[in-house]
Amino acid sequence: PRPRGRTFRRFAPASLSPEQCRRQTEVLRAACDKLFPRGTAISFLNSHNAKLGGKPLQLALDSDDGLLRVEQLIAAMSRS
């Protein structure tokens, strides 16, 4: 008999709409260009931010208003 190994489920990656892809690109570009090295930018975008009340990337993906709020915070942080 063959030894049983771990079984992993494969999940399909979440599909983003064209608008969400655009907003994701814009927020990542803003974070990398204005404020952070890439790894730090990704960590910032995926971590809860108290000033925004959520994760910056998710807020940016949800709406243009969310993207604007995140971009404004990044601009303010870059001036500090």
Side-chain angles (χ1 to χ4, degrees):
R2 234 169 91 180
R4 293 182 81 176
R6 292 185 179 183
T7 304
F8 294 97
R9 291 185 182 159
R10 295 187 185 262
F11 293 99
S15 296
L16 297 177
S17 72
E19 284 300 302
Q20 288 174 314
C21 287
R22 175 188 59 80
R23 289 192 294 263
Q24 181 181 35
T25 299
E26 289 181 23
V27 76
L28 184 58
R29 183 173 293 134
C32 289
D33 289 350
K34 295 180 181 175
L35 201 54
F36 308 113
R38 183 179 171 152
T40 306
I42 292 170
S43 178
F44 165 77
L45 292 171
N46 286 302
S47 300
H48 180 84
N49 183 280
K51 290 181 181 179
L52 295 171
K55 293 181 181 180
L57 181 58
Q58 190 58 54
L59 295 170
L61 288 176
D62 288 345
S63 68
D64 284 329
D65 182 56
L67 172 62
L68 180 61
R69 290 178 55 216
V70 175
E71 288 177 329
Q72 289 172 339
L73 176 62
I74 290 169
M77 292 170 71
S78 69
R79 291 191 297 265
S80 302

